[in-house]
Amino acid sequence: MDYPEPFQLKVDPRHGRLLGSPSNYQKKLSDLAGIYRDSAAFDALAQTDGDRVVYAVQDYRPAFGDNELIFGTTWMAPGRVGDEFFMTRGHIHARADRPEIYHGQSGHGLMLMESPEGDTRTVEIWADVVCYVPPFWIHRSVNLGDQPLVMAFTYPVDAGQDYDVIARSNGMRSLIVDDGQGGWVERANPDWRPRTTNQIETIHATAHATVGA
Ligand SMILES: [Fe+2]
């Protein structure tokens, strides 16, 4: 049997690079139209900063089999749109029972999580904090600080991502906003639409999907 070769990659905790990684994926501010509640503030910022890279991902995706792990680093710029902190688009795993680990490298942020039924959780992340995103939780990273937020992540190679799950509910149930005193606060999103029983069952059913389906 040919076994995959062990190897190492080096994480640059300040710049969020995974040295030796073959892939580099970037999102500009203009790619994130529609995820922030204050669309006027977004449009104003996009006029001047639309081409600015606001997050970057470098990862390594093993190709040996379905039981492997993808790992990489994510770098997020600091900033706000209106009173909402910069954040990622967010997703649930296409196979929703696949978990993920995030490991803070530098900066200050949080993981905002939401169950299919609409329960929410927040886990604050600094350097050396490990956040476990259990199976079935929608997750989005938020940069709370004035410096870049850098995290390393690991998830099963067959997890996949469903990026539309948040848009279908008009956003996540909670907004993470500036509290006006140098901190953050979780506030209810008045536009949030609960998932139907059918939508929740569809998410649960992905856990039983067969490989390649
Ligand atoms: Fe994920």
Side-chain angles (χ1 to χ4, degrees):
M1 182 173 180
D2 286 332
Y3 298 106
E5 279 298 316
F7 62 95
Q8 64 174 196
L9 295 173
K10 186 167 169 50
V11 173
D12 173 349
R14 274 205 48 204
H15 304 100
R17 285 194 286 267
L18 186 64
L19 305 176
S21 160
S23 85
N24 187 1
Y25 162 90
Q26 295 183 331
K27 277 247 186 267
K28 296 174 180 172
L29 182 70
S30 57
D31 295 327
L32 299 178
I35 75 167
Y36 293 100
R37 188 140 193 286
D38 188 342
S39 54
F42 180 85
D43 290 345
L45 191 60
Q47 287 230 327
T48 54
D49 287 40
D51 283 337
R52 188 152 67 90
V53 172
V54 288
Y55 70 84
V57 174
Q58 289 191 281
D59 64 14
Y60 183 79
R61 296 170 177 250
F64 189 70
D66 290 326
N67 296 323
E68 293 200 81
L69 296 170
I70 291 173
F71 57 95
T73 54
T74 171
W75 175 98
M76 295 177 65
R80 290 194 314 261
V81 174
D83 59 1
E84 261 186 294
F85 290 100
F86 273 13
M87 58 191 180
T88 57
R89 181 171 293 279
H91 59 263
I92 193 168
H93 290 154
R95 292 182 175 204
D97 62 340
R98 294 334 193 229
E100 184 158 3
I101 284 172
Y102 285 85
H103 184 176
Q105 303 292 311
S106 63
H108 174 214
L110 65 74
M111 193 63 60
L112 173 61
M113 290 169 273
E114 178 179 310
S115 73
E117 286 80 357
D119 293 323
T120 67
R121 301 284 189 277
T122 56
V123 171
E124 276 195 86
I125 296 174
W126 293 269
D128 299 331
V129 169
V130 173
C131 169
Y132 181 56
V133 179
F136 294 107
W137 288 85
I138 298 162
H139 45 288
R140 157 180 283 170
S141 313
V142 183
N143 188 348
L144 300 172
D146 56 9
Q147 300 293 316
L149 172 64
V150 175
M151 296 181 290
F153 59 81
T154 308
Y155 61 92
V157 75
D158 67 351
Q161 285 94 9
D162 173 0
Y163 289 103
D164 291 331
V165 68
I166 294 173
R168 284 194 292 270
S169 287
N170 284 335
M172 291 185 76
R173 187 171 192 174
S174 291
L175 308 171
I176 304 298
V177 300
D178 189 340
D179 69 357
Q181 299 173 324
W184 63 277
V185 65
E186 181 178 357
R187 194 168 288 157
N189 173 7
D191 297 331
W192 184 75
R193 194 166 52 205
R195 285 168 203 90
T196 63
T197 304
N198 218 349
Q199 286 175 317
I200 293 169
E201 284 174 357
T202 300
I203 289 171
H204 290 168
T206 65
H208 311 296
T210 53
V211 173

